[in-house]
Amino acid sequence: MSLAQTLDRATRTARAVPQPPPGAVAGSPEAEVRAAYDVQDDLVRFRLDRGERLTGAKLGFTSEGKRRQMGVHDLILGRVTDGMAVPDGADLDLSAFIHPRVEPEVVYLLGRRIATVADAFAEGAVAAVAPGIEIIDSRYENFRFSLADVIADNTSAAGYAVGAWQPYDPAAWNRGVVFELDGRPAHMGSTAAILGDPRRAVVEAARLAERIGLVLEPGWLLLAGAATPAEPLTPGTHVRVEVQGLGSVSFTARPAGEGAS
Ligand code: OOG
Ligand code: MG
């Protein structure tokens, strides 16, 4: 079974798989990363073959807090689908997840087709912005991985919720972020933690996408990367993220043993 097939099965069965042995994908670090994006391509294609639709892209490890938490030092790009969308205010069943974690995101709505870094600077590249919550759920046991492993695993992408879209104001890039679990702040941060300025996320996403031949389409979301470390998502937890001036987004993980309502 290929690594993509193994990770796909882990996703469908909600059972973690062992981290591949170091150097399983041979070659230089660059060759390893390139091979890992090929695995990600296959993994995403399995979802599309099952009828899911791409809704956007996501960046990972854009903040120092996340890099330190996961021991990884480079930016990574993943893809999200409609099958991962969690409606704002939802009552979410966690049974499809392995060991989910949640983190606060800033989400951009892309207004243009972005095929090159230059496109990221074009007028209207970002059409709107919203507060977001990402659910990450590594398919690897104990949430442990190397940079190549997590790229292959589509950057742990598993779910996302987006609040109401707000007009994009490039001048207001430094906004407070409150990440609440059950009404208590778990972390407070600032969007400035995201690459120093979350607008850089669009440029970095364009750079990574160009490198792997991915075109970012108008209407796609871009999750800019968590501004604070992630926290475990446990049954019964109410998760809320507020980004100053952009409003909030929330959902509740259904308590264990409660079926679909
Ligand atoms: C990888 C995903 C990282 C972010 O916002 O930094 C990410 C992981 O931590 O499992 O989504
Ligand atoms: Mg994230």
Side-chain angles (χ1 to χ4, degrees):
M1 210 187 297
S2 70
L3 179 55
Q5 286 169 321
T6 302
L7 292 170
D8 187 55
R9 196 175 60 173
T11 310
R12 285 183 288 103
T13 59
R15 292 177 75 102
V17 294
Q19 181 185 0
V25 187
S28 64
E30 299 78 48
E32 199 181 40
V33 163
R34 217 170 308 118
Y37 277 109
D38 288 342
V39 174
Q40 185 189 116
D41 271 342
D42 289 344
L43 187 58
V44 170
R45 191 154 345 100
F46 293 144
R47 283 181 174 270
L48 304 185
D49 288 347
R50 288 195 289 272
E52 292 182 36
R53 194 174 50 81
L54 281 179
T55 49
K58 56 161 283 193
L59 281 168
F61 306 136
T62 47
S63 70
E64 181 55 32
K66 279 288 300 187
R67 286 193 292 271
R68 201 175 317 115
Q69 180 180 35
M70 305 315 291
V72 170
H73 301 285
D74 257 323
L75 299 191
I76 56 176
L77 186 75
R79 282 163 268 188
V80 294
T81 68
D82 57 351
M84 301 178 191
V86 175
D88 188 6
D91 173 26
L92 181 68
D93 180 5
L94 296 186
S95 61
F97 298 97
I98 302 167
H99 40 202
R101 296 180 179 179
V102 275
E103 55 186 28
E105 296 271 346
V106 172
V107 186
Y108 292 114
L109 178 65
L110 301 182
R112 278 177 174 269
R113 185 174 186 273
I114 299 177
T116 66
V117 171
D119 295 338
F121 291 101
E123 184 68 32
V126 175
V129 60
I133 302 170
E134 184 178 13
I135 304 174
I136 52 174
D137 193 29
S138 177
R139 268 56 67 164
Y140 300 115
E141 286 167 357
N142 306 314
F143 237 103
R144 293 196 53 151
F145 42 69
S146 68
L147 185 70
D149 299 335
V150 68
I151 290 170
D153 186 25
N154 193 21
T155 68
S156 309
Y160 65 85
V162 183
W165 292 111
Q166 305 298 330
Y168 173 58
D169 174 4
W173 55 272
N174 189 358
R175 298 174 182 273
V177 175
V178 182
F179 174 26
E180 280 177 14
L181 298 176
D182 292 328
R184 282 185 295 273
H187 294 282
M188 311 234 248
S190 151
T191 58
I194 306 166
L195 296 170
D197 173 349
R199 291 172 299 180
R200 270 191 59 202
V202 183
V203 176
E204 291 300 324
R207 184 178 63 78
L208 289 170
E210 187 174 7
R211 218 200 274 168
I212 62 169
L214 177 72
V215 174
L216 309 175
E217 301 288 348
W220 272 19
L221 313 175
L222 175 65
L223 278 70
T228 77
E231 289 294 329
L233 177 60
T234 51
T237 304
H238 179 67
V239 185
R240 180 174 175 275
V241 167
E242 179 169 349
V243 182
Q244 183 191 4
L246 297 183
S248 67
V249 55
S250 66
F251 61 78
T252 305
R254 193 172 297 156
E258 275 191 21
S261 50

